[in-house]
Amino acid sequence: MDSSEKGNLHQVKHVVLVLSGKGGVGKSTITTELALALIHAGKKVGILDVDLCGPSIPRMLRVGKPEVHQCDAGWVPVYADPQQQLAIMSIGFLLEDSDEAVIWRGPKKTALIGQFVSDVAWGELDVLLVDTPPGTSDEHLAVLENLRKHRVDGAVLVTTPQAVSTGDVRREITFCKKTAVKILGIVENMSGFVCPHCSECSNIFSKGGGEELAKLTGSVFLGSVPLDPLLAASLEEGQDFLQAFPDSSTYTAISQIANTLLSSLDA
């Protein structure tokens, strides 16, 4: 099969979905920090932001609302860095007004996702991270149907420690099993609060729910990321947290998760 038959994903080595059955658990945060950690590990990374109703990636990476250009192969992704190591495509780039609500029925959503997956000229990438909306909706099925023409390595599931979150993520695990998506691991986000003054970690939302869920479902536990004000501020300002705070415990946690994921992909 030549490259024209394989399409725009033929030079993408690995495709990873970032999923959760619960909204507000920090999928976009984990997607962003995983991408930055992989870049610091020397990888070339892409982010496909298919959270159509809440595209957060452009703000978190401070790329604004650039004009999306086209080439012979399709849409040209927007690069977040001068070295062009981090490529992004988001619905946020296509909205005329950032405050505009995306009120679309299923067929229009699935058609756009089909375009996103097939018509973006990604070029060579080590890893493509797909930031998805919460739940198990049309968007998820559209992503899977279009990516199956290529290959999906698996999914990283994001949860917070509380039972109300892990219960919803358990349903996401069922979705993965029904759709034959490999679970690469579970990340527990907001796992304790890191004090900005003394760096002590307090378990505001309890602790260990993600690890317990991994044990119950036979999944890999990738690690925990604390609720860190420095991380939150970095995301709000579009700064590279990993570059700014290499001595923090949050940096260590994110780097270890990224390294474990890389080892799994390369195995």
Side-chain angles (χ1 to χ4, degrees):
M1 183 182 289
D2 64 31
S3 62
S4 63
E5 291 174 308
K6 291 178 182 178
N8 280 333
L9 288 165
H10 78 280
Q11 291 180 293
V12 177
K13 293 179 183 176
H14 301 290
V15 178
V16 176
L17 306 178
V18 182
L19 302 172
S20 178
K22 191 76 176 172
V25 299
K27 286 184 304 301
S28 296
T29 295
I30 296 301
T31 301
T32 298
E33 296 308 318
L34 274 179
L36 293 171
L38 291 171
I39 286 170
H40 289 305
K43 303 300 180 183
K44 192 168 184 180
V45 183
I47 298 178
L48 178 62
D49 182 6
V50 294
D51 192 347
L52 303 185
C53 296
S56 305
I57 296 296
R59 173 166 183 166
M60 289 182 171
L61 289 167
R62 207 173 188 176
V63 292
K65 188 183 170 296
E67 184 178 344
V68 176
H69 299 282
Q70 287 193 315
C71 63
D72 291 341
W75 287 337
V76 179
V78 173
Y79 291 94
D81 61 318
Q83 296 77 28
Q84 297 193 347
Q85 291 297 107
L86 178 53
I88 307 164
M89 181 53 69
S90 169
I91 181 66
F93 299 150
L94 306 180
L95 298 176
E96 291 184 11
D97 181 358
S98 59
D99 293 329
E100 181 183 344
V102 179
I103 308 172
W104 292 350
R105 294 189 185 276
K108 191 171 181 180
K109 288 183 178 180
T110 55
L112 178 60
I113 288 170
Q115 268 194 296
F116 265 26
V117 173
S118 61
D119 293 352
V120 179
W122 292 107
E124 291 186 19
L125 291 180
D126 292 301
V127 183
L128 175 63
L129 299 171
V130 184
D131 185 25
T132 67
T136 54
S137 60
D138 285 352
E139 290 98 313
H140 300 81
L141 294 173
V143 169
L144 285 175
E145 286 170 5
N146 284 279
L147 285 176
R148 287 210 192 283
K149 302 165 190 172
H150 176 64
R151 177 173 54 87
V152 179
D153 288 77
V156 170
L157 274 62
V158 182
T159 186
T160 51
Q162 315 95 301
V164 69
S165 177
T166 57
D168 287 340
V169 176
R170 191 191 296 254
R171 285 186 282 277
E172 196 78 31
I173 291 171
T174 303
F175 169 82
C176 289
K177 290 179 177 178
K178 285 185 176 180
T179 53
V181 174
K182 180 181 179 181
I183 298 170
L184 297 171
I186 295 174
V187 174
E188 181 177 296
N189 194 28
M190 306 183 199
S191 181
F193 170 76
V194 177
C195 176
H197 304 293
C198 67
S199 298
E200 183 179 344
C201 191
S202 304
N203 298 323
I204 295 177
F205 297 133
S206 76
K207 187 175 175 65
E211 187 168 10
E212 185 63 26
L213 178 63
K215 289 177 182 176
L216 287 172
T217 58
S219 307
V220 175
F221 182 63
L222 292 172
S224 302
V225 178
L227 193 63
D228 189 332
L230 294 174
L231 174 58
S234 295
L235 290 165
E236 285 288 326
E237 297 165 10
Q239 295 180 341
D240 185 342
F241 170 82
L242 299 177
Q243 190 175 53
F245 302 102
D247 298 324
S248 70
S249 59
T250 306
Y251 170 94
T252 302
I254 294 169
S255 296
Q256 287 177 347
I257 291 169
N259 289 334
T260 303
L261 177 61
L262 262 184
S263 298
S264 173
L265 294 173
D266 292 337

